Amino acid sequence: MNKISDNRGSDRRSQLRERNREALVEATLDCVAELGIARSSVSEIIARAGLSRGMIHLHFETKDNLLKAAIERANEIYYDELAVLLRQAGPSPQETIDAVIRSDLSENVLNRRYISIWYAFRGEAREREVFRRLNDTRDERMRTIILEAFLPMLREQGTPDAELVARDATDGLIALLEGMWNDYLLHPDAFDRDQACRVAFRFIAGLLPDYFTFAGATHKVSAK
Amino acid sequence: MNKISDNRGSDRRSQLRERNREALVEATLDCVAELGIARSSVSEIIARAGLSRGMIHLHFETKDNLLKAAIERANEIYYDELAVLLRQAGPSPQETIDAVIRSDLSENVLNRRYISIWYAFRGEAREREVFRRLNDTRDERMRTIILEAFLPMLREQGTPDAELVARDATDGLIALLEGMWNDYLLHPDAFDRDQACRVAFRFIAGLLPDYFTFAGATHKVSAK
DNA sequence: ATTGCAAATGGACAAACGTCCATTTAACAT
DNA sequence: ATGTTAAATGGACGTTTGTCCATTTGCAAT
C-alpha cells in the first residue's frame, strides 16, 4: 500500500529532514544577526547551513517563508524564558513583576545575537504584517500579566484612580524594558545588567513604595 | 582664468545641483520609510526623485553613501526639534527635563514617517558603524543635558547618593522615551501622545516629587 | 540483493541589482 | 551669437539575486 509520508518524525528519514529544516532556520538567524536582513541572501544562508540551494525551496517554498519561520523561532525564545521565570516565581504580584523584569534582562534574551535579530526584524516591521505581530513581545499576553499584577497592589495601597495608574505603570514598565533592549543594541559593551534592573525597580518603587525598592520586590516569600 | 567650480552655491548652476542632491536624499528617506532598507533599490529611489540613474553616482559615488547622507539628515531632524524646544523652555532644571520629554514625543519627530525611518536604520545598525553612531539620538550630548538637570534637583531634595540616582534617572528616562517610540512604531493608531507624556512624568515624579507631577514640571516660571 | 520514493543536490534561469560612462542638455562666460 | 563646461541623462555592463527542476543520493520496504 502506498503510505503517503505522514511526517510523524518517527523514522530516521523524517528525523534527518527535520534536522535540515532546523539548520536552515538557525543559519538564517545567524545570518540576520551578523549581516542584517538586507544582506541575508539565499546563498549566504545555505552556505552557513552547509546545505544546497534547493533546500530552501523544498522546506519553505520561498525565502520570505523562511524569514517568517525564523522570526517565529525568535519569538519562542523570548516566551520560553519568560515562562520559566514566571514558573519559578512565587504567586504574589510583586514577584510576578520581579520575574518579568528579570526575564527581560536575562542573558538568555538580552544578548548580542538575540537583540540583533530582534531589531533587524523590527526594522522591516512596518511593511510586513507578520513581522509586526511576531516582533511585538509586549503584546496583549504580556500586558495582561503586568496589568493584573499592578492593579491589586495599587488598590491595596489606596492609590486614587488605581485603574488608570495601573495602566500607566504597565505601559511605562513595558516601554522602559524596551528601551533597555535598545540601549543594549547600541552599546553592548557599556551595558550594565544590574544597573538596568535597578533603574527599572527605582521607577516602579516610585509608584509602589510598599512593594518595591531599587533592589527588587520586597517581602519576598518565594517558595523556591 | 580657469576658475575651478567652488561650489559656493551662489550661481544658479550649483543651486539646481544642490536641489537635486536634496531630492535624492528626500526620496531615499521616503523609500526607506515606506519599503524598508532592503527594498530601497536605486531604481526605486530615482523613480521617486524623478531623476536619472546616473545622479546617485554623480552626487554620492555609491548607494551606501546616499544611505549615509539620508540617516544624517534624519539625525538633524531630531536635534533641530530638541534645540527649538530647549530654547523655548525656561532655565530651571525641571523645565529642561520637561522640554526633552515633550520634544521626544512631539509630532515633528514622533510620526509614522520619521519613526519608520529611524527603526529601519537601527535594524542595520549592528554592522554599519556610521548607522550606529548616527542612529543613537540618546548619545552623550543628550545624556549630559538630562543628567545635569536631574543632579541639582536631587541634591536640593537631599536624596542620598544623588549622583548615582541621577545617573539611574537619566538612563531610565532615556530608556523610557526610547520605549515610547517603539510602542508608536508597532501601534501607531492606538498610541496616545498625552498618555505617554503622563507616564513619563509619573515615573520621574516618583524620584522627584517636589519638582514633577504626572502632568509635568511644577512651579513653572517659564519666561515665554 | 533489489526496488521504490522521499530527500537532497547544484546548475540553469530570468529578473533585478549597483555601477559606470558615452552622450546630451543647458547655464554661464565670452 | 557663440563656445565652454558642469550637470544630467539613460542605456550597457557584469554581478548577484530568488526560484525552479532534472538529476542523484540513500533510507526503508520488499
Side-chain angles (χ1 to χ4, degrees):
Chain A
M1 187 191 158
N2 191 4
K3 184 175 68 172
I4 304 162
S5 153
D6 55 6
N7 277 343
R8 296 280 188 279
S10 50
D11 54 351
R12 191 163 142 69
R13 261 276 188 63
S14 45
Q15 267 184 336
L16 288 174
R17 183 190 160 93
E18 192 54 30
R19 208 178 58 184
N20 281 336
R21 211 192 111 103
E22 279 305 304
L24 282 176
V25 172
E26 282 303 317
T28 304
L29 288 176
D30 283 340
C31 215
V32 167
E34 285 174 40
L35 305 175
I37 290 183
R39 297 187 191 176
S40 291
S41 64
V42 167
S43 305
E44 187 66 39
I45 292 168
I46 58 108
R48 278 162 193 261
L51 295 170
S52 61
R53 286 191 85 61
M55 288 293 268
I56 288 176
H57 182 247
L58 178 68
H59 284 284
F60 300 95
E61 245 353 81
T62 70
K63 184 193 169 192
D64 247 47
N65 285 342
L66 172 57
L67 284 174
K68 193 181 140 190
I71 191 177
E72 274 166 1
R73 158 58 61 91
N75 204 26
E76 282 171 26
I77 294 173
Y78 177 80
Y79 274 109
D80 284 354
E81 175 69 11
L82 179 61
V84 167
L85 287 209
L86 278 178
R87 209 174 315 119
Q88 284 177 357
S92 72
Q94 65 264 45
E95 282 169 307
T96 300
I97 297 292
D98 198 275
V100 167
I101 291 174
R102 290 182 201 281
S103 93
D104 242 67
L105 298 174
S106 110
E107 290 177 19
N108 289 335
V109 298
L110 196 61
N111 59 65
R112 277 169 206 258
R113 190 177 112 106
Y114 190 80
I115 297 298
S116 288
I117 292 165
W118 202 248
Y119 279 87
F121 281 116
R122 177 156 300 164
E124 300 281 316
R126 88 200 67 63
E127 27 158 353
R128 312 199 202 185
E129 183 49 36
V130 187
F131 284 9
R132 184 181 354 240
R133 212 185 61 246
L134 288 169
N135 198 244
D136 191 6
T137 35
R138 281 54 175 228
D139 63 5
E140 272 319 306
R141 191 155 37 138
M142 174 86 163
R143 251 190 74 87
T144 306
I145 293 171
I146 299 177
L147 188 65
E148 291 182 352
F150 275 140
L151 202 47
M153 290 189 274
L154 288 162
R155 284 202 174 117
E156 197 178 339
Q157 200 181 245
T159 304
D161 286 322
E163 283 80 7
L164 177 69
V165 178
R167 259 187 291 128
D168 282 1
T170 301
D171 291 340
L173 177 56
I174 286 171
L176 186 65
L177 292 172
E178 193 61 54
M180 296 295 186
W181 280 21
N182 180 76
D183 191 27
Y184 184 89
L185 175 79
L186 295 177
H187 317 104
D189 294 317
F191 192 84
D192 181 337
R193 225 173 275 272
D194 294 332
Q195 195 227 358
C197 220
R198 196 177 63 226
V199 170
F201 285 120
R202 233 190 252 287
F203 274 17
I204 294 176
L207 296 176
L208 291 159
D210 294 348
Y211 297 91
F212 296 96
T213 73
F214 64 86
T218 56
H219 310 114
K220 275 206 182 182
V221 279
S222 176
K224 308 199 170 180
Chain B
M1 186 191 160
N2 191 4
K3 184 175 66 174
I4 304 161
S5 153
D6 54 6
N7 277 344
R8 295 278 188 283
S10 50
D11 53 350
R12 190 163 143 67
R13 261 274 187 68
S14 45
Q15 268 184 335
L16 288 174
R17 182 190 161 95
E18 192 54 30
R19 207 177 60 184
N20 280 337
R21 210 192 112 102
E22 279 306 302
L24 282 175
V25 172
E26 281 303 318
T28 304
L29 288 176
D30 283 341
C31 214
V32 167
E34 283 173 42
L35 306 175
I37 290 182
R39 296 186 191 177
S40 290
S41 65
V42 167
S43 305
E44 188 64 38
I45 292 167
I46 57 111
R48 279 162 193 259
L51 294 170
S52 60
R53 286 190 84 60
M55 288 293 267
I56 287 177
H57 182 246
L58 178 68
H59 284 284
F60 300 96
E61 209 56 35
T62 69
K63 184 193 171 192
D64 247 48
N65 285 342
L66 172 57
L67 285 174
K68 194 182 139 190
I71 190 177
E72 274 167 1
R73 159 57 61 93
N75 203 25
E76 283 170 27
I77 294 173
Y78 177 80
Y79 275 110
D80 285 355
E81 175 69 11
L82 179 61
V84 166
L85 286 209
L86 278 178
R87 209 174 315 118
Q88 284 177 356
S92 72
Q94 64 264 44
E95 282 169 308
T96 300
I97 297 292
D98 197 274
V100 167
I101 292 173
R102 292 185 199 280
S103 93
D104 241 68
L105 299 174
S106 109
E107 290 177 19
N108 288 334
V109 298
L110 196 61
N111 58 66
R112 276 169 206 257
R113 189 177 114 106
Y114 190 80
I115 297 297
S116 288
I117 291 166
W118 203 248
Y119 279 87
F121 281 116
R122 176 155 301 164
E124 300 280 317
R126 89 200 65 62
E127 28 158 354
R128 312 200 201 185
E129 183 50 34
V130 188
F131 284 10
R132 182 181 357 241
R133 212 186 61 246
L134 289 169
N135 198 242
D136 191 7
T137 35
R138 280 53 175 227
D139 62 6
E140 273 316 309
R141 193 156 33 140
M142 174 87 163
R143 251 189 74 87
T144 306
I145 292 171
I146 299 177
L147 188 65
E148 292 182 352
F150 274 140
L151 202 49
M153 290 189 274
L154 288 163
R155 284 200 175 122
E156 196 177 340
Q157 201 182 247
T159 305
D161 286 322
E163 283 81 9
L164 178 69
V165 178
R167 258 186 291 127
D168 283 1
T170 301
D171 291 341
L173 176 57
I174 286 171
L176 185 65
L177 292 172
E178 193 61 56
M180 297 296 185
W181 280 21
N182 181 77
D183 191 28
Y184 183 89
L185 174 79
L186 295 176
H187 317 103
D189 294 318
F191 191 84
D192 181 337
R193 223 173 278 270
D194 293 333
Q195 195 225 1
C197 220
R198 195 177 65 226
V199 169
F201 285 119
R202 234 191 249 289
F203 272 19
I204 294 175
L207 296 176
L208 291 159
D210 295 347
Y211 298 90
F212 296 95
T213 72
F214 64 86
T218 56
H219 310 116
K220 276 207 184 184
V221 280
S222 176
K224 311 199 167 175

